[in-house]
Structures are given as C-alpha cells and as structure tokens.
Amino acid sequence: MHGAKSVAEVERQLAFLRAHFAGFEEAESAAPAPAEEAHVAEAESKWVSPEEEEFAEIDRTSRVVWEGEGGVRVTLEAHASRSHHTGLRLWPAADRLSRILCADPSLVRGRRVLELGAGCGLVSAVAATLGGAVTATDRAGQLPHLEKCATLGSSAQRFACEALEWGDGARSPPWAPGRFDVILGSDITYVDGDDSRDALIGLVRRLVGESASLVLLCHHTRNPAVTASLWRALRRQWPGACWVLDGYDTLAACGDPSAPAERRAGSVTFALS
C-alpha cells in the first residue's frame, strides 16, 4: 500500500465512498435504457478536461522529455492530433501514475512489472528507470511505436514489449498467474456500458490469480458517471481488496451531483490486491 495511507484511513475512506455512492447504486438497480447509455458514451467522447488540453499541446510528431520527482527523466515520442490513434498520445492519467511511482519507487523497484495498454510507454519507461523489470503491452498494431519508444532515452528506461489485448477474440495472456508482482494501467478504463471494461477486469484477475500481485489502475475523469460506474464495477467484480490510492476527493465528487465541475476533474488511482 502507498505509504501515506494507514489501514484505518483506507477503511474510513471506503466506508464513506460506499455510503456516498449508495444513491447511484439504487438508481442503477433499474437498468438504464439504451438511449441513456448512448447519451453517457456521447458525453464521454466529447468532454475534454483542461488537463487533457494541456497535454495535447505537443507538436504532432514530437520527441518528448518527461521529468519527475527524484531526477527521473525519460524520452518518448508522442502525437497531439486528435485524429491519431489514442495509443500515440500522452494522456494525463499516464502522467499522474508516473508521478505516483516517482513519489514511491518501492512500488516497482526490484519487481516484475506489467503495463497494460501502454500506448507511448511513459509509465513503463518511468517504472524501468525506477528499477523495475518491465514488460509493456498493447495491441499488435501499437507495438511498432511502443518498441520505438522503448529504445529512446537512457538505457535505464528500457523495457520489453509484448502484444496483449482483452475483449472478444483476444487470446489468453502468455504468462502464468502471478508472473508479475505489479500490474499497471492508465486511462484504459474510460469506456462505460461496454464489455471492454468487464473484459479488462477479467484479464487482470487471470494475471493475478491467487498471488499477492498489486494492481494500480489510474483513471482520468472525463464524465463523472463513468468514473462512478467504474468504482462500482471494481467493488463488485474484484475478489480481493480494492481501495483508492490517489484521487479520493475526485472520486467522492463524482458521486456528488452538487459538486462543482472543478472538483470532479482529475485522475483517480485504484489499487487492487
């Protein structure tokens, strides 16, 4: 667990979130009509946070040098155009998760680390620089770009690359359960009302198995309803411990219809074990 939170603090937060989201769960018991689901998906695709706009200000084929706490410095190649595949862009959740790792390198140092949906490989490069033995994964079509990013910067940021997907037609992961000590993912949980999210949770369950692996999933809030739905899905489907490592106030605001928009903006990192 991230050192800043005691067991008692985590339990207090979980109790508050369960109570805070009770109204959402009661409403969810009456399944939303397809039109409502479509409305949520449409809002998700159109709403862009100020943080995302900031990260989008990268020249279209830029070499990006990212710097974090403790002198961590990695080099990537990213695109800013919204017409590009999402995996070629640098996203706020990847930045946030990378900074969480920099603040507590013990999360990955000396550990076998797997990143899901790595995109440009920022989180993988940071985890490798901090001393993790990292394997970054993404769709087969994304691998050439990911492999290129794995060769940039210093030798400390090197990581292995493998194809891995989830959802209909996806092959089972080639590793035995528990092969990795830490599993990371950033901005791979943004789809609501879609089988992809449940398939992702199922994949992570297969990768962890009965082991003590730690899973960190960083989700950037674009639509508060999607964030709230993700929290409910994790609580419902994850068999072990599930807590909020970072972004607790943002998640709480997503369950409060009266909360101002600026309180709902930001990233939430869920920890599973």
Side-chain angles (χ1 to χ4, degrees):
M1 183 183 298
H2 200 246
K5 286 184 170 59
S6 66
V7 172
E9 175 66 7
V10 169
E11 290 177 344
R12 185 191 69 79
Q13 291 186 358
L14 288 175
F16 175 82
L17 287 168
R18 289 189 184 103
H20 207 63
F21 280 80
F24 279 83
E25 290 176 343
E26 290 170 6
E28 192 181 52
S29 63
E36 292 174 335
E37 291 287 351
H39 177 73
V40 169
E42 181 181 9
E44 171 77 2
S45 65
K46 290 182 179 179
W47 194 84
V48 179
S49 74
E51 286 177 286
E52 285 188 311
E53 290 293 357
E54 177 184 347
F55 276 91
E57 296 303 319
I58 303 171
D59 291 338
R60 285 197 169 142
T61 53
S62 289
R63 190 67 57 87
V64 179
V65 177
W66 184 95
E67 296 181 340
E69 184 178 336
V72 174
R73 181 184 175 93
V74 302
T75 302
L76 306 166
E77 189 170 279
H79 298 269
S81 170
R82 295 187 183 281
S83 64
H84 280 292
H85 186 279
T86 55
L88 302 182
R89 296 183 55 204
L90 184 61
W91 295 93
D95 174 80
R96 183 60 196 151
L97 183 54
S98 296
R99 297 192 186 281
I100 289 172
L101 298 181
C102 288
D104 189 355
S106 66
L107 288 168
V108 292
R109 182 174 293 145
R111 299 177 183 271
R112 298 166 299 179
V113 180
L114 180 72
E115 185 184 7
L116 303 175
C120 296
L122 172 60
V123 176
S124 287
V126 168
T129 301
L130 293 172
V134 182
T135 300
T137 68
D138 212 311
R139 297 175 179 177
Q142 175 67 19
L143 280 190
H145 183 77
L146 184 59
E147 290 169 341
K148 180 178 180 180
C149 289
T151 67
L152 301 177
S154 70
S155 59
Q157 77 170 63
R158 299 288 179 264
F159 52 86
C161 301
E162 295 283 350
L164 182 65
E165 300 183 40
W166 55 89
D168 293 341
R171 293 183 296 178
S172 297
W175 308 285
R179 170 66 177 79
F180 296 95
D181 304 303
V182 182
I183 299 172
L184 305 172
S186 63
D187 241 341
I188 58 175
T189 53
Y190 54 85
V191 178
D192 184 50
D194 189 274
D195 290 341
S196 176
R197 182 193 60 200
D198 294 342
L200 170 62
I201 297 174
L203 170 63
V204 174
R205 289 185 63 167
R206 288 195 298 276
L207 289 167
V208 171
E210 299 299 321
S211 73
S213 301
L214 173 67
V215 182
L216 299 180
L217 299 176
C218 189
H219 172 87
H220 188 75
T221 297
R222 297 173 179 80
N223 184 306
V226 173
T227 304
S229 177
L230 172 61
W231 169 242
R232 290 195 301 270
L234 290 173
R235 284 171 48 200
R236 183 174 61 249
Q237 298 181 40
W238 189 254
C242 174
W243 68 95
V244 181
L245 182 72
D246 180 74
Y248 166 77
D249 290 338
T250 298
L251 178 59
C254 287
D256 181 2
S258 66
E262 58 268 22
R263 282 189 55 205
R264 301 177 186 175
S267 297
V268 181
T269 301
F270 301 98
L272 314 173
S273 66

